[in-house]
Amino acid sequence: MPMAQNHEKRGFSVKLWPPSESTRLMLVERMTSTLSSESFFSRRYGLLSKEEAAENAKQIEKLAFLAANDHSSEDPNADGSSAVQFYAKESSKLMLDALKRGPTAKAREPVKEAITETVEASPMKETVFDISGGQRGFVNGALATQLLRPLEERGNSYTKICFSNRSFGLEAACVAKSILMGVQKNLTDVDLADFIAGRPEAEALEVMSIFSSVLEGCVLRSLNLSDNALGEKGVRAFGSLLKSQKTLEELYFINNGISVEAARAICELLPSVERLKILHFHNNMTGDDGAKALSQLLKDCIALEDFRCSSTRVGSQGGIALAGALRAGSRLKRLDLRDNMFGKSGGVALSQAISGHLGLTEAYLSYLNFRDKGTIALANSLKEGAPSLKVLEIAGNDITPKAAPALAECLAVKHLLTKFVASENELKDEGSVSICRALAEGHEHLKELDLSTNSITGIGAKAAAEAVANKHDFDLLNIDANFISEEGIVVVKDVLRKGVKGVSVLGSLEDNDEEGGCDDEECESDDEDENEHEGSDSDTELKEKLQNLKM
């Protein structure tokens, strides 16, 4: 993956996320011990057995990991420390909930009472029925009857249901089928994300088929099938439901194992996508051929406003196909294609596609291997269009100072910009200074600037500080993992201290290499001397290796 390649290239940048399997297991063991130990909560709510504590710990860790992974995917430019903190906080929160619930036998009846009290106390009838916030675990027939009882109440007004975070078995699915029959005609939004976790494949497919058959014919606005190990078999298990949908506005296939065959099945089964406004594919194994299949579907999404196809293993050919399909519409507001391998040609194709989407406000285009050629094409396209652009992320694209002038010209006219991320590139001082000067004037809405891991020294760092020091809305300047000397850091802090918010906007500098660079013109002369000898040294080394080469 592009992200990993960048970190291998820069030895001093350490990724803290995702954690290793051993680290995750260690956390589960610690939580098991805590959950099954005597405490204030155990005395009040009851002590969990070792077995129940272990099961809770496994479920808590998995939920926290998935949530932190999503958090990390929203901000892939960081070193992972933010995701680690989120992981820890989420684990603590879920563990506290488990302690308060106490043993399962004591937890179920209060849940029933709480649901009843909510329904009776509220004068307004609820439209959203959501069981995702309860204790994660397997749902059998008895528990399904209890959980879904509100759906059986006469005259209920539920239009939206969320069954995610629970694992429905065959018995529970049959109970759900009989109950859903009574409300299906009113449903507009259905969330079945992560509702077959841990089930054997045969059982999971049958459960999906049952839900598909009972929901077939619902006139849905939104459908979420994320976090289920679908593959082609799973997609086809939902075939009757998908075939019946002609008014969908939102469709989510996130972390579903969408392969080439699964992508083709989706395109085959969906009858109409002309009203679709949100289409999300994330963390799948779609690849080039899968992207080409999805592009046929994308061509009919003329009302699309939010398209996400991140971390889907799409290369240059697939990127070109997707870009071509995006030209069919003109309403995109949010585009997220992070963590693929579009390459230069994919970047050029995408620049041509987005020129027609004048309402684009958020573009997440990091780790796509655009390089200078693709980046320049993209910058020129955005300069002429997208007048309301607020977020632009282009991290990890191997961008050098060569592309900086085009980027600077583009950014100079984006006065509504709130966030610009160009970390993990090779902009150096020359490119960074050019970009920062473009952001210095106006841009009063700018909140975040990220130029970390760009081989910049105190010169570029000072330019960045000067660009943001007097902006009232500014929150975060990230220039970590560069070569800023101790003197350079002092200068940066002095500039910020004289600004509106002071040094509080300066992010962490824990990965900065104070000894790795210099802050004056000596760097340039050193680089020139190094380049003069680079060829001869490498030639000598190559010859030495070839002498011992055996065919």
Side-chain angles (χ1 to χ4, degrees):
M1 292 170 60
M3 190 185 305
Q5 291 171 356
N6 260 291
H7 285 290
E8 289 173 4
K9 183 169 65 177
R10 299 175 175 83
F12 57 83
S13 182
V14 179
K15 291 293 284 186
L16 301 177
W17 189 263
S20 65
E21 190 64 29
S22 60
T23 300
R24 295 180 64 185
L25 289 173
M26 180 185 68
L27 179 62
V28 170
E29 290 176 2
R30 288 184 178 179
M31 288 193 294
T32 300
S33 176
T34 301
L35 289 170
S36 59
S37 300
E38 287 284 350
S39 66
F40 164 80
F41 295 102
S42 66
R43 290 191 294 272
R44 182 169 182 177
Y45 300 104
L47 182 65
L48 273 69
S49 66
K50 275 284 186 181
E51 294 74 16
E52 190 168 1
E55 183 61 28
N56 272 276
K58 290 177 183 178
Q59 294 169 352
I60 288 170
E61 191 282 328
K62 183 178 180 181
L63 278 174
F65 177 79
L66 291 173
N69 217 34
D70 286 342
H71 177 82
S72 175
S73 69
E74 291 297 326
D75 187 17
N77 318 297
D79 61 359
S81 59
S82 176
V84 170
Q85 291 175 4
F86 188 92
Y87 180 51
K89 289 180 180 178
E90 192 70 10
S91 297
S92 298
K93 184 182 73 173
L94 293 172
M95 193 161 57
L96 184 60
D97 290 342
L99 288 168
K100 288 181 178 180
R101 282 194 302 269
T104 303
K106 295 183 179 181
R108 291 181 179 176
E109 193 59 31
V111 169
K112 174 184 174 182
E113 293 172 1
I115 294 174
T116 306
E117 288 173 4
T118 302
V119 175
E120 292 175 353
S122 176
M124 297 290 291
K125 289 196 173 182
E126 294 288 337
T127 59
V128 180
F129 180 76
D130 186 352
I131 60 172
S132 64
Q135 182 178 2
R136 181 179 173 82
F138 283 5
V139 178
N140 57 25
L143 184 55
T145 300
Q146 177 186 315
L147 289 172
L148 306 184
R149 184 171 292 127
L151 290 175
E152 294 184 290
E153 294 177 358
R154 183 174 298 179
N156 75 73
S157 301
Y158 294 115
T159 59
K160 304 177 182 180
I161 58 171
C162 178
F163 287 2
S164 64
N165 192 38
R166 303 294 184 121
S167 179
F168 280 75
L170 189 56
E171 183 184 357
C174 292
V175 171
K177 179 179 180 180
S178 63
I179 294 176
L180 287 174
M181 288 292 291
V183 297
Q184 64 159 193
K185 63 180 182 299
N186 297 325
L187 295 179
T188 60
D189 298 77
V190 171
D191 185 346
L192 297 178
D194 193 21
F195 85 123
I196 53 167
R199 300 291 179 178
E201 180 182 298
E203 183 182 17
L205 289 172
E206 192 166 354
V207 168
M208 288 187 280
S209 296
I210 289 172
F211 274 88
S212 176
S213 64
V214 72
L215 295 172
E216 179 184 356
C218 291
V219 183
L220 298 182
R221 187 196 67 86
S222 171
L223 177 61
N224 188 352
L225 300 177
S226 301
D227 297 310
N228 295 305
L230 296 180
E232 182 186 7
K233 292 180 181 178
V235 171
R236 295 197 180 279
F238 278 113
S240 58
L241 172 59
L242 292 173
K243 284 181 179 179
S244 67
Q245 299 309 305
K246 299 179 181 179
T247 59
L248 278 177
E249 295 182 12
E250 299 180 15
L251 181 58
Y252 302 89
F253 285 102
I254 298 173
N255 192 30
N256 285 128
I258 301 298
S259 60
V260 178
E261 294 77 16
R264 289 171 178 162
I266 291 171
C267 298
E268 171 194 329
L269 294 170
L270 281 172
S272 175
V273 290
E274 292 182 357
R275 296 189 184 184
L276 210 58
K277 294 181 179 180
I278 300 177
L279 179 59
H280 281 197
F281 288 89
H282 167 67
N283 196 29
N284 287 300
M285 47 188 182
T286 312
D288 275 345
D289 290 337
K292 290 176 183 177
L294 291 175
S295 67
Q296 300 304 311
L297 179 73
L298 201 57
K299 287 178 181 179
D300 295 326
C301 299
I302 55 177
L304 199 63
E305 297 178 358
D306 182 347
F307 180 54
R308 184 182 186 189
C309 193
S310 50
S311 301
T312 47
R313 307 182 187 182
V314 177
S316 179
Q317 294 303 312
I320 292 173
L322 290 175
L326 287 173
R327 300 179 73 171
S330 60
R331 302 182 186 180
L332 268 183
K333 296 179 181 179
R334 187 179 187 276
L335 178 62
D336 186 351
L337 299 171
R338 285 174 286 190
D339 195 18
N340 286 298
M341 289 294 289
F342 278 30
K344 293 180 286 186
S345 54
V348 172
L350 185 62
S351 69
Q352 298 167 349
I354 64 176
S355 62
H357 295 274
L358 299 180
L360 189 66
T361 58
E362 299 177 41
Y364 301 93
L365 306 173
S366 297
Y367 308 104
L368 288 165
N369 198 34
F370 282 161
R371 306 183 73 85
D372 286 334
K373 183 177 180 181
T375 302
I376 291 172
L378 181 73
N380 290 336
S381 178
L382 288 174
K383 175 188 173 184
E384 300 301 324
S388 301
L389 189 68
K390 295 181 179 180
V391 177
L392 177 58
E393 294 191 8
I394 52 171
N397 277 305
D398 288 327
I399 305 171
T400 74
K402 182 179 178 181
L407 278 172
E409 289 181 15
C410 169
L411 295 174
V413 297
K414 302 304 172 190
H415 297 293
L416 296 179
L417 198 69
T418 61
K419 181 179 181 181
F420 178 63
V421 176
S423 58
E424 297 191 62
N425 286 299
E426 293 290 345
L427 287 169
K428 300 185 178 180
D429 284 334
E430 180 185 348
S432 299
V433 169
S434 178
I435 286 171
C436 291
R437 286 176 178 171
L439 294 172
E441 297 297 324
H443 299 84
E444 296 303 321
H445 301 287
L446 190 65
K447 294 182 178 181
E448 182 177 342
L449 174 61
D450 190 342
L451 294 173
S452 60
T453 320
N454 264 289
S455 301
I456 65 177
T457 70
I459 298 171
K462 180 185 177 184
E466 290 173 338
V468 304
N470 294 313
K471 300 189 187 304
H472 291 272
D473 291 340
F474 195 78
D475 292 326
L476 177 62
L477 172 62
N478 188 355
I479 50 175
D480 198 13
N482 282 301
F483 304 128
I484 310 168
S485 68
E486 186 176 349
E487 294 80 4
I489 293 174
V490 171
V491 171
V492 167
K493 290 183 177 179
D494 284 343
V495 171
L496 293 175
R497 196 171 287 114
K498 296 173 184 177
V500 177
K501 292 187 175 180
V503 295
S504 64
V505 301
L506 182 61
S508 169
L509 291 172
E510 62 181 358
D511 289 330
N512 179 59
D513 184 0
E514 296 180 6
E515 305 298 328
C518 50
D519 297 340
D520 52 35
E521 295 178 357
E522 291 180 8
C523 290
E524 297 179 9
S525 60
D526 289 345
D527 288 344
E528 291 173 2
D529 293 339
E530 184 179 338
N531 290 336
E532 287 179 6
H533 298 288
E534 183 179 357
S536 58
D537 289 344
S538 59
D539 287 344
T540 301
E541 183 180 352
L542 180 60
K543 289 176 182 178
E544 291 175 354
K545 291 182 178 180
L546 286 174
Q547 286 176 355
N548 299 319
L549 182 65
K550 295 181 180 180
M551 297 300 292

